[in-house]
Amino acid sequence: MPAAPAQAFARCPDRLGLYPVLPTAEWVERVVGFGVKTVQLRRKSAEPADELKREIARCVAAGREHDAQVFINDHWQAALEAGAYGVHLGQEDLHTADLSALAMAGIRLGLSTHGFYEILKALHFRPSYIALGAVFPTTTKVMPTAPQGLKRLARYVHLLDGVVPLVAIGGIDLQVLPDVLATGVGCAAVVRAVTEAADPAAAVSALQHAFAQ
């Protein structure tokens, strides 16, 4: 494995709450406008480069305007240039991203994991949070492993609580969110529960309410 940066990544709040993962800057602007404090831009393509940079700049600006924590998925170089709050990377990105540059800039790092081995690998890099997934089957991306399920999620929370902030991700919607939160995890990432909702503002409000129970 690559060496971990000499400087640990800045820590996120232990309980990040609702964490919508969104496809465009327009979505990011809408959702932080609803009062959500942690969001992620997951833009599939890096092309065209100028458009990507404009999208990321809009997301960074929206985060600052609404005092929200905006993470950029994958595109760490553009995020670094834009002064983003955070970057979310997959395991495969650990061998190519300049983690030291990100850590030195104070950018938070979230890492995807899909089981115990990848959790151990992620902990080596002292990230700002670890995402645990996929909890349930998901159609938003092809997953390398079978769904983790609630029992395994609860086991991860028991082992890692107080060590690093945790994010549950994968197939989470309003119906299953109470069961996810019952494991003790302090954050749940959602995609379709917001982006495919008939009324995104109402959907966000209902999801936020589940965290307040």
Side-chain angles (χ1 to χ4, degrees), residues 20-43:
V21 178
L22 305 163
T24 64
E26 182 180 358
W27 266 109
V28 168
E29 290 165 345
R30 287 178 70 187
V31 172
V32 296
F34 298 153
V36 176
K37 292 303 181 185
T38 305
V39 299
Q40 181 187 132
L41 173 70
R42 186 162 73 187
R43 192 176 187 271

Side-chain angles (χ1 to χ4, degrees), residues 135-148:
V135 180
F136 303 107
T138 177
T139 60
T140 59
K141 62 188 295 188
V142 177
M143 300 306 301
T145 56
Q148 303 287 307

Side-chain angles (χ1 to χ4, degrees), residues 6-189:
Q7 177 177 326
F9 285 92
R11 191 177 175 94
C12 285
D14 286 334
R15 308 188 75 81
L16 285 165
L18 180 65
Y19 187 179
V21 178
L22 305 163
T24 64
E26 182 180 358
W27 266 109
V28 168
E29 290 165 345
R30 287 178 70 187
V31 172
V32 296
F34 298 153
V36 176
K37 292 303 181 185
T38 305
V39 299
Q40 181 187 132
L41 173 70
R42 186 162 73 187
R43 192 176 187 271
K44 302 291 187 181
S45 173
E47 301 298 334
D50 287 347
E51 182 181 325
L52 172 67
K53 289 181 179 179
R54 284 195 297 271
E55 286 273 292
I56 290 175
R58 283 177 61 183
C59 293
V60 170
R64 290 174 178 163
E65 179 182 353
H66 294 276
D67 193 27
Q69 300 158 159
V70 178
F71 287 83
I72 306 300
N73 187 285
D74 284 351
H75 307 298
W76 63 269
Q77 290 165 304
L80 181 61
E81 292 172 8
Y85 175 86
V87 169
H88 182 94
L89 298 177
Q91 295 271 319
E92 67 282 357
D93 301 309
L94 293 170
H95 297 273
T96 55
D98 190 340
L99 300 179
S100 293
L102 292 170
M104 288 291 291
I107 292 178
R108 277 71 173 174
L109 175 68
L111 292 177
S112 294
T113 68
H114 309 90
F116 287 108
Y117 170 73
E118 290 191 354
I119 289 171
L120 289 172
K121 188 176 175 183
L123 288 172
H124 167 74
F125 295 98
R126 297 180 293 174
S128 307
Y129 74 75
I130 288 176
L132 307 166
V135 180
F136 303 107
T138 177
T139 60
T140 59
K141 62 188 295 188
V142 177
M143 300 306 301
T145 56
Q148 303 287 307
L150 289 170
K151 288 184 178 179
R152 184 169 282 199
L153 175 62
R155 194 172 301 135
Y156 295 151
V157 173
H158 178 72
L159 290 169
L160 297 169
D161 187 38
V163 176
V164 62
L166 302 172
V167 176
I169 188 169
I172 299 172
D173 58 20
L174 182 60
Q175 182 177 354
V176 299
L177 182 57
D179 295 330
V180 170
L181 297 180
T183 67
V185 73
C187 178

